Amino acid sequence: MSEQQRWDLHMHSTHSDGTFTPFELIDEAKRRHLTGIAITDHDTFSAYTEEVFTYSKKQGIGLLVGAEFSTVWQGVPVHILGYGFVLDHQGLTDLTKWHIKRRQERNQAILEALKSYGIEIDSTMLHGRAAQTIGRPHIAQLLVEKGIVSTVKEAFDQWIGDGKRAYVAGASVTPAETIDLIHRAGGAAILAHPILLKKRRWIRELLDTHNFDGMEGHYAAFLAHQNEEMVNLGKSRGLIITGGSDFHGFDKPFIKVGSSYTNEDEFEKLLQACQKWKK
Ligand code: AMP
Ligand code: ZN
Ligand code: FE
Ligand code: FE
């Protein structure tokens, strides 16, 4: 009997706010006997270089193209996972460039908000980072390094988390526009970690009014009964059910690579959806 396939389709690398390089993520996937992974950095797919594809092949780890896009729907932040899109699509590449600019402006505004509370962070320290996508987790790390707070979580809870003192929403793009661009780039669009949306009504409304191919039903940070509820919700709508860990490395030490995954059947459906959008 062949071994069951396990694809961890949600994790972050040093190209956004993860602490592992793409190569280290592949090593980690191998150590945990996964079939394959997708590296879903925030608003970028710069992890997908020739070298990384070559390395995954050498290690025998499948590598599906992916990214996690930030959107805002009726004031609510919504993350959308895109999979299997072509990497040189102009519209999707332009979207990633727009996000870089959006983040520069927003990060600056957050630093100014912190400054109004007497916390000085030099913006060159933030932008001196190697990542393509710089965001709140990087600001949180600097707050820890400066001794303002003792953990990244505390930085979010006290300062820069949604709605907190130094929170800035900044510019945004809608889920509808993002889903459309993913489809046009020949990829599938999946609603990420639906339970983080807090209100069940929002999840249902989002799914009913948008052209999602699927939703993330297995997510490491959720309880078993929450995952079950989400899987049932997705299945009742005929959606593909994906799973992933949302591994970030040392910032979220309790989440391991492979702690949630996509099974072979759902992975096959995901590939079929990508084929459909490529026609
Ligand atoms: P940004 O894209 O710059 O708005 O940052 C969002 C990212 O920050 C999320 O994807 C998480 O990785 C991280 N994050 C959000 N809230 C928290 C929190 N309360 N504690 C730790 N990390 C968080
Ligand atoms: Zn993140
Ligand atoms: Fe997310
Ligand atoms: Fe994520």
Side-chain angles (χ1 to χ4, degrees):
M1 202 177 79
S2 70
E3 213 177 296
Q4 192 200 114
Q5 288 200 10
R6 294 185 303 147
W7 291 82
D8 184 343
L9 297 183
H10 191 160
M11 62 184 71
H12 298 268
S13 80
T14 46
H15 287 252
S16 64
D17 56 4
T19 64
F20 281 43
T21 66
F23 302 99
E24 289 167 340
L25 288 174
I26 291 164
D27 288 343
E28 193 63 20
K30 185 169 180 167
R31 203 170 300 133
R32 294 180 184 275
H33 306 285
L34 295 182
T35 315
I37 60 172
I39 302 170
T40 51
D41 280 308
H42 296 286
D43 304 324
T44 185
F45 36 88
S46 58
Y48 290 91
T49 60
E50 270 317 311
E51 292 75 19
V52 170
F53 280 113
T54 304
Y55 189 69
S56 69
K57 243 183 220 131
K58 184 173 149 238
Q59 297 295 72
I61 294 296
L63 184 63
L64 177 68
V65 164
E68 182 176 22
F69 294 99
S70 313
T71 74
V72 177
W73 172 73
Q74 300 181 0
V76 182
V78 174
H79 286 178
I80 298 176
L81 294 159
Y83 294 113
F85 48 81
V86 298
L87 290 165
D88 59 357
H89 185 265
Q90 193 61 53
L92 209 56
T93 304
D94 287 347
L95 177 65
T96 66
K97 287 183 185 157
W98 180 84
H99 273 295
I100 290 173
K101 188 166 145 283
R102 163 185 81 82
R103 284 174 174 280
Q104 278 166 353
E105 289 166 5
R106 181 203 192 203
N107 291 339
Q108 203 52 45
I110 293 174
L111 294 192
E112 274 159 32
L114 287 168
K115 200 169 166 186
S116 75
Y117 289 99
I119 300 170
E120 296 259 8
I121 291 176
D122 185 355
S123 67
T124 55
M125 281 188 71
L126 194 60
H127 293 111
R129 311 234 152 194
Q132 272 284 316
T133 297
I134 297 170
R136 286 184 289 165
H138 300 98
I139 297 175
Q141 278 160 16
L142 289 174
L143 288 171
V144 174
E145 282 168 30
K146 283 183 91 74
I148 309 286
V149 291
S150 50
T151 61
V152 164
K153 185 179 182 302
E154 208 179 306
F156 274 90
D157 291 347
Q158 292 187 13
W159 296 99
I160 59 174
D162 295 5
K164 302 294 175 184
R165 278 176 287 181
Y167 175 71
V168 178
S172 64
V173 59
T174 64
E177 291 170 277
T178 302
I179 293 168
D180 185 49
L181 273 173
I182 293 168
H183 286 162
R184 286 207 242 170
I190 305 291
L191 176 62
H193 43 60
I195 287 189
L196 290 185
L197 287 162
K198 295 193 180 85
K199 290 206 167 83
R200 297 294 190 272
R201 181 168 56 79
W202 293 347
I203 303 172
R204 286 194 298 269
E205 209 176 311
L206 254 173
L207 291 175
D208 289 343
T209 56
H210 290 78
N211 202 7
F212 284 107
D213 299 280
M215 63 181 250
E216 194 172 44
H218 306 280
Y219 187 74
F222 296 157
L223 301 170
H225 77 87
Q226 293 175 316
N227 283 324
E228 196 184 323
E229 184 192 340
M230 290 302 114
V231 169
N232 290 338
L233 183 69
K235 282 197 171 155
S236 71
R237 282 168 166 72
L239 292 167
I240 300 166
I241 309 292
T242 67
S245 61
D246 207 359
F247 179 77
H248 276 74
F250 304 120
D251 272 4
K252 294 182 181 174
F254 306 109
I255 306 282
K256 307 293 181 201
V257 167
S259 50
S260 269
Y261 58 86
T262 306
N263 70 26
E264 186 168 356
D265 284 355
E266 300 297 326
F267 185 75
E268 209 40 60
K269 287 187 210 164
L270 188 61
L271 292 185
Q272 280 166 17
C274 297
Q275 283 310 316
K276 183 185 88 179
W277 290 113
K278 281 191 181 72
K279 278 181 188 147

